[in-house]
Amino acid sequence: MKHTIIYPKTYRSMTKQILLLGEFSTGKSAFINMLLGVSILPERVTSTDLPVVKVYSGKPAGIWLREPNQKNPQALDSWSDIPKDWSSFQHAEITIPNHPLLAKDLIIWDTPGINSTNEHHKKHLENFLNSNPKQYDLVYFFLHGNITSTSLDFLKAYKWLWERLTILVNIKEIKPESECRMLEKEVKKIIRTQLGVIPVELLYIGDVCEQFNELSEEKRNGANEYELVKDWSSKKIELDSMLKNRFVIGEEHFGIISEIAHLDNDVKFDSINNQEIINQLAYHDYIESANKNDADAQYNVGRCYALGIGIFKSNVNAIYWYKRAAINGNKYAQFELANAFENGIELEHDINQAVHWYEKASQQDHKHAKERLERLLSLKQLNKKQEETTHLVENNSIPRTDDNINEEFIALINDTQVHRFAKDIMLEEVNFARKQMSPSEYQAKIAELCTALESVYNSHPLDEEFKKSFKRIHDQYPHLFSLNSQLFETILNRHEIIINYHSSCPFCDSLFFVPIREYGNWTCPNCSNIVSYSAYGFSKYIQESGSSDCFIATAVYGGVHHEKVNSLREYRDLFLMTNKWGQILVKFYYKHSPRIAACLKYHHYSSWIIRKVLDIIIKLLIEPKITRS
């Protein structure tokens, strides 16, 4: 697709504010403490103990109370000095001078629990949110386990927060990953039903929080809150070292906030050479227009999230912005939204919705949308026919002939391991065997089904699935298979078909073919540039510093996170990238290895040999050297 991000020429001043919301005891304050590396906010408190708190860089260090119509805030020695009547002040403040996270004007807002039973405290939070709503860069809503009706009602009341909202399911107890993922799935289901497309992410750091608190208490050494803030640098704990080699989920959210924090204000585009910063400026420029309901900007924000350009990569956020842009008439967003419904990308699989949005994009002459629409309409027609056939069989509306054939056919219709196309073809064979159609009608029906099958072959990798279906029919339903064994043997023994996805190379615009749904990085045969292929199509490969792919190793080991691939990557960073000849070797490898890796996907024996050779090299040479270092 040629519709790509266009970077802005200048960038205006950015507001960098992050808001944390949620019921009490969901982990908001603990999250802020770990971000700062210092336990400045008390955690083991109820919703009535702490008001809205503004955390930012300022001088002098201290804890303050901001009262209305007063130029200077009131200094506090301890949180216990906060008056019980919260209506007498606007919010509390913590100033931490020279903190690296806050140095470039980042402001973090902590808030009291939304489920407070104190009406005056609830009014305090409402006044804060409703008076001069701020342009937050990020809003986190914390949950502990499943979502409550109180949280749902609160979120419905503050829809203006949704544009930057991420719901964090914060699991504070030690639980298996499967149980954590189940909770995340339940929350996603409720959010989609009650609120729509809002990102829901899982945060699980096991016992790291508890260990962080214990270490903080040791470093605090009896200091009060003011002394802790004043001498924060000597009390700071490095969170990265605590998370290393631990099983955690969602640690990237600490990195997301750090990325926002370190983005400069009022940066001129012409003075920037760093591509990552340029990407961030593009994202922030588009988000401003997107919030003003600009459809093209909304689509571009979606692309930023989909490809990780200038912001963290998130399919959920991408779909959210695609949906907004699609409603506002952007044809590219309509195509992406239809694709998400068709393939179940962060949305429930819904062919009817996919058809609807493909039709919308087709009306604006979107070429790929027209092709997808034709295929889906064909599939819907075949599905309808299959449903009608199943209904006839279940109600004994089809006359009985041969008992073996009839019994096998009824069992086949209800067999979930047999593909619907195989069932459709078998239906015509059974009808012909029962003399319910003439030879000419039978030939026409079979030809129609085979033509439909070929058209689907061109867009979906069904060949293996289809052959497995006829292998099952051969083994489990021999009487049905014998109805036209010559045709079925031909299908069963058919050579493997590699179904290709094709589109224009984003670098040279030449037509470029890759095996469908073999997502990853490919080398364009025309210009030799690396192209990223994902569920969203082709895009330019953006190499992140320190995280380049080991293409051949990834191909033979089956994934970028395999332990052997990690060993090779670590060896590259420690020993090859530190000298001139190693850098030349790495550059040569990245130029030529993607093409070799692409070939290995279909030469399993060659992959097996290379994997065995790499196993020996890693075991005898690489891992010992890494260990010694």
Side-chain angles (χ1 to χ4, degrees), residues 9 34 101 175 217 234 246 256 260 267 305 309 408 411 609:
K9 292 184 178 179
M34 287 190 287
L101 188 73
K175 293 184 178 181
E217 283 301 313
S234 66
R246 297 289 192 92
I256 290 165
I260 294 173
V267 181
Y305 274 114
I309 296 176
E408 286 187 358
I609 293 174

Side-chain angles (χ1 to χ4, degrees), residues 83-336:
K84 293 182 179 180
D85 182 10
W86 289 3
S87 63
S88 64
F89 60 90
Q90 292 177 322
H91 56 260
E93 295 181 354
I94 304 174
T95 52
I96 312 175
N98 304 318
H99 193 288
L101 188 73
L102 308 173
K104 292 186 177 180
D105 300 324
L106 178 70
I107 298 172
I108 304 174
W109 293 93
D110 190 22
T111 57
I114 64 166
N115 55 336
S116 171
T117 56
N118 187 313
E119 290 299 323
H120 295 290
H121 294 171
K122 288 170 69 175
K123 191 69 176 176
H124 171 78
L125 179 59
E126 289 173 9
N127 289 339
F128 167 74
L129 292 173
N130 293 328
S131 60
N132 301 318
K134 300 171 179 60
Q135 290 297 313
Y136 298 105
D137 286 74
L138 198 58
V139 179
Y140 278 127
F141 190 92
F142 280 71
L143 298 175
H144 177 51
N146 221 328
I147 190 166
T148 64
S149 58
T150 302
S151 292
L152 284 172
D153 292 341
F154 178 88
L155 291 171
K156 289 175 183 177
Y158 292 96
K159 289 187 177 181
W160 61 271
L161 293 170
W162 291 10
E163 292 178 356
R164 306 292 176 86
L165 178 64
T166 296
I167 295 173
L168 276 186
V169 184
N170 185 22
I171 309 297
K172 297 195 285 184
E173 301 86 5
I174 296 177
K175 293 184 178 181
E177 182 180 6
S178 58
E179 190 174 339
C180 296
R181 292 297 183 189
M182 186 64 69
L183 284 169
E184 178 192 23
K185 186 176 181 181
E186 285 298 316
V187 173
K188 282 184 175 181
K189 185 177 180 181
I190 294 170
I191 292 298
R192 284 175 180 168
T193 304
Q194 296 285 332
L195 306 178
V197 182
I198 292 178
V200 176
E201 304 286 347
L202 181 63
L203 179 63
Y204 174 80
I205 56 176
D207 60 351
V208 173
C209 183
E210 187 174 341
Q211 291 184 11
F212 177 87
N213 290 334
E214 291 174 359
L215 189 56
S216 294
E217 283 301 313
E218 289 179 16
K219 289 201 169 194
R220 183 168 185 165
N221 196 24
N224 64 26
E225 279 90 350
Y226 170 72
E227 292 169 338
L228 182 63
V229 173
K230 185 179 178 181
D231 194 24
W232 67 268
S233 57
S234 66
K235 315 291 186 186
K236 190 172 183 292
I237 299 167
E238 294 300 329
L239 182 63
D240 288 346
S241 61
M242 296 189 70
L243 294 176
K244 192 175 182 180
N245 300 322
R246 297 289 192 92
F247 171 66
V248 293
I249 304 172
E251 71 273 22
E252 66 271 11
H253 294 287
F254 295 101
I256 290 165
I257 293 176
S258 181
E259 285 181 12
I260 294 173
H262 291 96
L263 188 61
D264 288 331
N265 295 330
D266 299 316
V267 181
K268 292 295 182 181
F269 180 88
D270 295 336
S271 65
I272 297 175
N273 294 318
N274 188 306
Q275 184 64 46
E276 183 180 352
I277 297 297
I278 295 173
N279 290 340
Q280 291 174 355
L281 297 182
Y283 165 78
H284 281 280
D285 189 77
Y286 277 116
I287 197 73
E288 186 173 330
S289 299
N291 287 327
K292 296 175 182 176
N293 232 25
D294 184 306
D296 291 339
Q298 289 169 343
Y299 167 74
N300 275 322
V301 172
R303 292 291 289 174
C304 285
Y305 274 114
L307 302 173
I309 296 176
I311 192 68
F312 61 97
K313 196 171 183 178
S314 170
N315 282 342
V316 176
N317 286 345
I319 298 302
Y320 169 78
W321 286 105
Y322 286 152
K323 186 174 183 179
R324 290 189 62 181
I327 292 171
N328 287 329
N330 184 284
K331 65 181 180 180
Y332 301 102
Q334 290 167 347
F335 176 84
E336 298 292 357

Side-chain angles (χ1 to χ4, degrees), residues 574-598:
L574 291 174
F575 301 104
L576 296 181
M577 296 303 293
T578 55
N579 63 82
K580 181 180 178 181
W581 289 107
Q583 291 172 4
I584 293 172
L585 178 63
V586 170
K587 186 176 181 180
F588 177 85
Y589 174 81
Y590 283 124
K591 181 177 180 181
H592 299 286
S593 62
R595 199 170 301 186
I596 299 172

Side-chain angles (χ1 to χ4, degrees), residues 24-25 29 59 66 78 113-114 140 164 207 235 259 264 302 323 377 389 477 480 536-537 540 584:
F24 64 85
S25 297
S29 299
K59 293 182 179 180
R66 178 70 65 177
S78 171
I114 64 166
Y140 278 127
R164 306 292 176 86
D207 60 351
K235 315 291 186 186
E259 285 181 12
D264 288 331
K323 186 174 183 179
L377 290 176
T389 303
Y477 309 104
L480 290 178
Y536 297 102
K540 291 182 179 180
I584 293 172

